[in-house]
PDB file of all heavy atoms in Angstrom:
ATOM      1  N   GLU G  19     344.398  81.829  43.969  1.00 95.00           N
ATOM      2  CA  GLU G  19     345.768  82.067  43.656  1.00 95.00           C
ATOM      3  C   GLU G  19     345.907  83.236  42.605  1.00 95.00           C
ATOM      4  O   GLU G  19     346.788  84.019  42.703  1.00 95.00           O
ATOM      5  CB  GLU G  19     346.506  80.889  43.262  1.00 95.00           C
ATOM      6  CG  GLU G  19     346.651  79.813  44.355  1.00 95.00           C
ATOM      7  CD  GLU G  19     347.229  78.510  43.910  1.00 95.00           C
ATOM      8  OE1 GLU G  19     347.245  78.282  42.662  1.00 95.00           O
ATOM      9  OE2 GLU G  19     347.578  77.662  44.716  1.00 95.00           O
ATOM     10  N   PHE G  40     350.513  99.635  54.210  1.00 96.00           N
ATOM     11  CA  PHE G  40     349.838 100.204  53.094  1.00 96.00           C
ATOM     12  C   PHE G  40     349.777 101.755  53.304  1.00 96.00           C
ATOM     13  O   PHE G  40     348.777 102.343  53.563  1.00 96.00           O
ATOM     14  CB  PHE G  40     348.360  99.687  53.109  1.00 96.00           C
ATOM     15  CG  PHE G  40     348.268  98.113  52.893  1.00 96.00           C
ATOM     16  CD1 PHE G  40     348.088  97.357  53.985  1.00 96.00           C
ATOM     17  CD2 PHE G  40     348.358  97.631  51.629  1.00 96.00           C
ATOM     18  CE1 PHE G  40     348.035  95.986  53.808  1.00 96.00           C
ATOM     19  CE2 PHE G  40     348.338  96.236  51.416  1.00 96.00           C
ATOM     20  CZ  PHE G  40     348.156  95.398  52.575  1.00 96.00           C
ATOM     21  N   ILE G  81     335.565  84.886  46.871  1.00 95.00           N
ATOM     22  CA  ILE G  81     336.260  84.797  45.597  1.00 95.00           C
ATOM     23  C   ILE G  81     335.560  85.598  44.528  1.00 95.00           C
ATOM     24  O   ILE G  81     336.209  86.227  43.592  1.00 95.00           O
ATOM     25  CB  ILE G  81     336.372  83.282  45.084  1.00 95.00           C
ATOM     26  CG1 ILE G  81     337.295  83.270  43.803  1.00 95.00           C
ATOM     27  CG2 ILE G  81     335.034  82.690  44.838  1.00 95.00           C
ATOM     28  CD1 ILE G  81     338.647  83.807  43.978  1.00 95.00           C
ATOM     29  N   ALA G 100     338.736  85.374  57.148  1.00 95.00           N
ATOM     30  CA  ALA G 100     338.749  85.272  58.612  1.00 95.00           C
ATOM     31  C   ALA G 100     337.467  85.494  59.225  1.00 95.00           C
ATOM     32  O   ALA G 100     336.513  85.981  58.609  1.00 95.00           O
ATOM     33  CB  ALA G 100     339.795  86.392  59.135  1.00 95.00           C
ATOM     34  N   ILE G 114     341.297 101.180  62.760  1.00 98.00           N
ATOM     35  CA  ILE G 114     340.199 101.219  61.736  1.00 98.00           C
ATOM     36  C   ILE G 114     339.333 102.499  61.995  1.00 98.00           C
ATOM     37  O   ILE G 114     338.949 102.745  63.138  1.00 98.00           O
ATOM     38  CB  ILE G 114     339.318  99.904  61.796  1.00 98.00           C
ATOM     39  CG1 ILE G 114     340.129  98.713  61.392  1.00 98.00           C
ATOM     40  CG2 ILE G 114     338.093 100.103  60.944  1.00 98.00           C
ATOM     41  CD1 ILE G 114     340.646  98.751  59.906  1.00 98.00           C
ATOM     42  N   GLY G 115     338.929 103.199  60.959  1.00 98.00           N
ATOM     43  CA  GLY G 115     338.188 104.403  61.133  1.00 98.00           C
ATOM     44  C   GLY G 115     336.710 104.161  60.999  1.00 98.00           C
ATOM     45  O   GLY G 115     335.954 104.804  61.755  1.00 98.00           O
ATOM     46  N   ILE G 117     333.556 100.934  60.306  1.00 98.00           N
ATOM     47  CA  ILE G 117     333.188  99.551  60.158  1.00 98.00           C
ATOM     48  C   ILE G 117     331.841  99.436  59.445  1.00 98.00           C
ATOM     49  O   ILE G 117     330.845 100.093  59.922  1.00 98.00           O
ATOM     50  CB  ILE G 117     333.151  98.804  61.488  1.00 98.00           C
ATOM     51  CG1 ILE G 117     334.609  98.744  62.151  1.00 98.00           C
ATOM     52  CG2 ILE G 117     332.590  97.313  61.293  1.00 98.00           C
ATOM     53  CD1 ILE G 117     334.585  98.197  63.583  1.00 98.00           C
ATOM     54  N   ARG G 134     325.082  87.382  66.670  1.00 98.00           N
ATOM     55  CA  ARG G 134     324.669  88.543  65.871  1.00 98.00           C
ATOM     56  C   ARG G 134     325.880  89.557  65.846  1.00 98.00           C
ATOM     57  O   ARG G 134     326.534  89.799  66.889  1.00 98.00           O
ATOM     58  CB  ARG G 134     323.420  89.229  66.424  1.00 98.00           C
ATOM     59  CG  ARG G 134     322.206  88.372  66.412  1.00 98.00           C
ATOM     60  CD  ARG G 134     320.990  89.010  67.153  1.00 98.00           C
ATOM     61  NE  ARG G 134     319.991  87.867  67.260  1.00 98.00           N
ATOM     62  CZ  ARG G 134     319.020  87.960  68.175  1.00 98.00           C
ATOM     63  NH1 ARG G 134     318.942  88.963  69.059  1.00 98.00           N
ATOM     64  NH2 ARG G 134     318.126  86.980  68.264  1.00 98.00           N
ATOM     65  N   SER G 143     334.416  94.480  70.789  1.00 98.00           N
ATOM     66  CA  SER G 143     335.534  94.332  69.951  1.00 98.00           C
ATOM     67  C   SER G 143     335.657  95.435  68.945  1.00 98.00           C
ATOM     68  O   SER G 143     336.809  95.893  68.612  1.00 98.00           O
ATOM     69  CB  SER G 143     335.568  93.002  69.278  1.00 98.00           C
ATOM     70  OG  SER G 143     334.563  92.908  68.311  1.00 98.00           O
ATOM     71  N   GLY G 151     335.344 108.717  68.019  1.00 98.00           N
ATOM     72  CA  GLY G 151     334.755 109.313  66.762  1.00 98.00           C
ATOM     73  C   GLY G 151     334.631 108.297  65.673  1.00 98.00           C
ATOM     74  O   GLY G 151     334.048 108.564  64.644  1.00 98.00           O
ATOM     75  N   ASP G 159     317.468  94.852  56.256  1.00 97.00           N
ATOM     76  CA  ASP G 159     316.045  94.802  55.925  1.00 97.00           C
ATOM     77  C   ASP G 159     315.228  94.368  57.105  1.00 97.00           C
ATOM     78  O   ASP G 159     314.013  94.519  57.097  1.00 97.00           O
ATOM     79  CB  ASP G 159     315.744  93.914  54.778  1.00 97.00           C
ATOM     80  CG  ASP G 159     316.052  92.511  54.992  1.00 97.00           C
ATOM     81  OD1 ASP G 159     317.236  92.149  55.400  1.00 97.00           O
ATOM     82  OD2 ASP G 159     315.169  91.728  54.955  1.00 97.00           O
ATOM     83  N   PRO G 162     313.071  93.678  63.187  1.00 97.00           N
ATOM     84  CA  PRO G 162     313.352  93.214  64.562  1.00 97.00           C
ATOM     85  C   PRO G 162     314.846  93.183  64.921  1.00 97.00           C
ATOM     86  O   PRO G 162     315.193  93.605  66.028  1.00 97.00           O
ATOM     87  CB  PRO G 162     312.681  91.740  64.533  1.00 97.00           C
ATOM     88  CG  PRO G 162     311.684  91.840  63.468  1.00 97.00           C
ATOM     89  CD  PRO G 162     312.249  92.790  62.446  1.00 97.00           C
ATOM     90  N   TRP G 176     327.089 103.814  72.573  1.00 98.00           N
ATOM     91  CA  TRP G 176     327.378 104.401  71.262  1.00 98.00           C
ATOM     92  C   TRP G 176     326.355 105.545  71.036  1.00 98.00           C
ATOM     93  O   TRP G 176     325.247 105.483  71.383  1.00 98.00           O
ATOM     94  CB  TRP G 176     327.214 103.337  70.195  1.00 98.00           C
ATOM     95  CG  TRP G 176     328.167 102.226  70.241  1.00 98.00           C
ATOM     96  CD1 TRP G 176     328.058 101.071  71.102  1.00 98.00           C
ATOM     97  CD2 TRP G 176     329.340 102.074  69.525  1.00 98.00           C
ATOM     98  NE1 TRP G 176     329.171 100.287  70.890  1.00 98.00           N
ATOM     99  CE2 TRP G 176     329.963 100.822  69.933  1.00 98.00           C
ATOM    100  CE3 TRP G 176     329.993 102.807  68.527  1.00 98.00           C
ATOM    101  CZ2 TRP G 176     331.220 100.359  69.422  1.00 98.00           C
ATOM    102  CZ3 TRP G 176     331.218 102.324  68.013  1.00 98.00           C
ATOM    103  CH2 TRP G 176     331.805 101.129  68.454  1.00 98.00           C
ATOM    104  N   LYS G 187     313.604 106.046  50.876  1.00 95.00           N
ATOM    105  CA  LYS G 187     312.216 106.525  50.707  1.00 95.00           C
ATOM    106  C   LYS G 187     312.119 107.641  49.634  1.00 95.00           C
ATOM    107  O   LYS G 187     311.174 107.655  48.825  1.00 95.00           O
ATOM    108  CB  LYS G 187     311.623 107.136  52.020  1.00 95.00           C
ATOM    109  CG  LYS G 187     310.276 107.624  51.999  1.00 95.00           C
ATOM    110  CD  LYS G 187     309.837 108.126  53.356  1.00 95.00           C
ATOM    111  CE  LYS G 187     308.396 108.619  53.310  1.00 95.00           C
ATOM    112  NZ  LYS G 187     307.964 109.053  54.706  1.00 95.00           N
ATOM    113  N   GLU G 198     320.468  94.420  49.167  1.00 95.00           N
ATOM    114  CA  GLU G 198     319.665  95.695  49.308  1.00 95.00           C
ATOM    115  C   GLU G 198     318.920  96.059  48.033  1.00 95.00           C
ATOM    116  O   GLU G 198     317.739  96.482  48.083  1.00 95.00           O
ATOM    117  CB  GLU G 198     320.674  96.734  49.680  1.00 95.00           C
ATOM    118  CG  GLU G 198     320.082  98.111  50.048  1.00 95.00           C
ATOM    119  CD  GLU G 198     321.150  99.067  50.537  1.00 95.00           C
ATOM    120  OE1 GLU G 198     322.341  98.644  50.525  1.00 95.00           O
ATOM    121  OE2 GLU G 198     320.758 100.137  50.950  1.00 95.00           O
ATOM    122  N   ALA G 210     318.722 101.735  58.545  1.00 98.00           N
ATOM    123  CA  ALA G 210     320.168 102.122  58.564  1.00 98.00           C
ATOM    124  C   ALA G 210     320.473 103.062  59.732  1.00 98.00           C
ATOM    125  O   ALA G 210     319.544 103.842  60.164  1.00 98.00           O
ATOM    126  CB  ALA G 210     320.512 102.793  57.297  1.00 98.00           C
ATOM    127  N   ALA G 218     331.865 107.322  76.421  1.00 98.00           N
ATOM    128  CA  ALA G 218     330.976 106.374  77.183  1.00 98.00           C
ATOM    129  C   ALA G 218     330.828 104.992  76.601  1.00 98.00           C
ATOM    130  O   ALA G 218     330.230 104.104  77.225  1.00 98.00           O
ATOM    131  CB  ALA G 218     329.529 106.986  77.221  1.00 98.00           C
ATOM    132  N   ARG G 229     325.193  87.854  80.004  1.00 88.00           N
ATOM    133  CA  ARG G 229     324.592  86.857  79.101  1.00 88.00           C
ATOM    134  C   ARG G 229     323.251  87.401  78.595  1.00 88.00           C
ATOM    135  O   ARG G 229     322.481  87.977  79.353  1.00 88.00           O
ATOM    136  CB  ARG G 229     324.368  85.535  79.868  1.00 88.00           C
ATOM    137  CG  ARG G 229     323.771  84.445  78.966  1.00 88.00           C
ATOM    138  CD  ARG G 229     323.637  83.173  79.805  1.00 88.00           C
ATOM    139  NE  ARG G 229     322.973  82.132  79.019  1.00 88.00           N
ATOM    140  CZ  ARG G 229     322.644  80.937  79.548  1.00 88.00           C
ATOM    141  NH1 ARG G 229     322.894  80.648  80.773  1.00 88.00           N
ATOM    142  NH2 ARG G 229     322.090  80.062  78.717  1.00 88.00           N
TER     143      ARG G 229
END
Side-chain angles (χ1 to χ4, degrees):
E19 291 173 349
F40 298 97
I81 186 58
I114 295 295
I117 297 173
R134 296 170 193 159
S143 70
D159 66 299
W176 296 80
K187 181 178 181 179
E198 187 174 3
R229 182 179 176 183

